[in-house]
Amino acid sequence: MEDRAKSPTADWAGTAEEDVAPAAQPTERMTRGQLVRRRFLRNRTSIVGIIGFAIVVLFALLGPYIAKWDFAEIDYAAFYSPPSAEHWFGATQAGRDVFAMTVEGLRKSLIIGLSVAFLQTSIAAIVGAMAAYFSGWFDKVALWVIDLLLVVPSFLLIAIFSQQAGAKKGSISLFILLLAIFGWMLSARVVRSLTLSVRNAEYVTAAKYMSVPPMTIIFRHILPNISSLLIIDATLGVASAVLSETALSFFGFGVQSPNVSLGTLIAEGQRAALTFPWIFLAPATVLTVMLISVNFIGDGVRDALDPSSKSGGKA
């Protein structure tokens, strides 16, 4: 009888322990990288941006292998030819294939945009972090240079120098360098402000007491902790650089002949945009898709890295 009296209680206790046991198990914590990746992939806008940019990149990479014509080749029987089986996107007034020229222009614009974004983000990160870390006279000189470059008419200087370079072999490299030199200042100010907020952190102080060299502290401890801003800045910098290149090339100050870019193609096609629209629509459409995709990716990266953002908080 005693065993029977105890058995219902024992059975109930056993059942309760079984129910509580799974809830008591510790949940697996996600790392910051996993959380950022999860937020990014749950953002539909960023997924659309990735797909769009991947299509643009594949078009630039595979285009030369599927094109029937070279971008500099002339078809003397196809002046102002509309889209056809021979010329998929039509031909220009000079008989050049629009498809091949759009692919080549996209390749140049992508190279310029990615290179400029990388260079100007790197310059902004190094100058801004060093100015805040060393402070004193270095900070004053850095701020003076930043303020000076901000008031300099960069558009005119880039136009003058790129025009002098002309069709030289290194004109694209010089153009990239000029765009990067005049595009890092605002980002450097933001990096400086963020560095001021972390330079007295415990991990930085500990590294100083351990006699770690200043540049090592900047590259190993400070910049990684403000990498969120740098990633966003580099992503959005691609779109900004492509727009700058397009605008300068449109007015004849950017990429020079015989090279082509999306800006030069749009400038060439806008004169006949109403009568022969295929010359203008092809590069303009590719440029629009690329810029929208890059901006979508930049917005997705920003929302994923910023926990307080609206879309990032949905993760």
Side-chain angles (χ1 to χ4, degrees):
M1 293 294 292
E2 186 176 353
D3 293 338
R4 288 181 181 177
K6 292 182 178 179
S7 60
T9 306
D11 292 340
W12 177 84
T15 305
E17 289 178 359
E18 292 176 359
D19 293 339
V20 173
Q25 292 179 356
T27 57
E28 183 180 354
R29 299 188 62 181
M30 299 178 63
T31 63
R32 174 173 170 78
Q34 292 173 334
L35 184 59
V36 169
R37 194 181 308 114
R38 181 183 177 186
R39 286 175 179 157
F40 183 79
L41 294 178
R42 285 192 174 187
N43 190 331
R44 294 181 180 179
T45 302
S46 61
I47 297 301
V48 172
I50 289 178
I51 294 174
F53 190 71
I55 293 174
V56 169
V57 172
L58 287 176
F59 180 70
L61 294 177
L62 301 180
Y65 299 100
I66 63 177
K68 292 184 176 182
W69 298 81
D70 185 77
F71 77 95
E73 193 174 357
I74 298 177
D75 184 1
Y76 293 98
F79 298 116
Y80 280 130
S81 173
S84 62
E86 188 66 21
H87 297 280
W88 297 335
F89 289 178
T92 66
Q93 65 271 29
R96 300 169 70 183
D97 186 68
V98 176
F99 177 87
M101 294 180 68
T102 302
V103 171
E104 182 64 21
L106 175 60
R107 290 161 66 92
K108 287 291 192 303
S109 294
L110 278 175
I111 292 173
I112 292 172
L114 294 173
S115 301
V116 170
F118 173 78
L119 285 176
Q120 68 184 18
T121 302
S122 300
I123 296 172
I126 295 173
V127 174
M130 290 178 63
Y133 183 84
F134 293 111
S135 64
W137 67 269
F138 190 94
D139 186 28
K140 293 180 180 179
V141 171
L143 289 177
W144 180 81
V145 172
I146 291 173
D147 292 337
L148 176 63
L149 291 177
L150 283 174
V151 299
V152 165
S154 57
F155 187 93
L156 293 178
L157 290 179
I158 294 175
I160 293 172
F161 283 110
S162 60
Q163 191 75 7
Q164 287 182 350
K168 293 181 181 179
K169 186 176 180 180
S171 60
I172 299 294
S173 301
L174 177 62
F175 190 54
I176 292 173
L177 185 61
L178 289 172
L179 286 175
I181 288 175
F182 292 103
W184 59 272
M185 293 80 70
L186 293 177
S187 299
R189 277 190 168 276
V190 179
V191 171
R192 176 181 175 274
S193 300
L194 292 176
T195 304
L196 287 173
S197 65
V198 301
R199 70 174 183 177
N200 294 323
E202 294 180 356
Y203 56 88
V204 176
T205 304
K208 291 179 180 178
Y209 282 122
M210 294 174 65
S211 299
V212 178
M215 296 306 297
T216 304
I217 295 177
I218 290 174
F219 282 100
R220 288 189 180 180
H221 301 289
I222 294 179
L223 291 182
N225 282 279
I226 60 173
S227 59
S228 301
L229 166 76
L230 300 178
I231 294 172
I232 297 171
D233 182 71
T235 305
L236 298 179
V238 175
S240 176
V242 171
L243 276 176
S244 298
E245 178 275 321
T246 303
L248 286 163
S249 298
F250 181 85
F251 291 107
F253 299 120
V255 177
Q256 303 293 315
S257 180
N259 294 316
V260 295
S261 70
L262 294 179
T264 59
L265 295 178
I266 292 173
E268 181 179 354
Q270 60 89 23
R271 293 189 292 268
L274 298 178
T275 53
F276 306 101
W278 56 84
I279 303 176
F280 173 81
L281 288 178
T285 302
V286 172
L287 176 65
T288 303
V289 172
M290 178 174 62
L291 293 179
I292 291 176
S293 300
V294 171
N295 281 319
F296 279 177
I297 293 174
D299 291 341
V301 171
R302 180 198 60 204
D303 293 340
L305 291 170
D306 184 7
S308 63
S309 63
K310 182 176 180 181
S311 58
K314 293 180 181 179

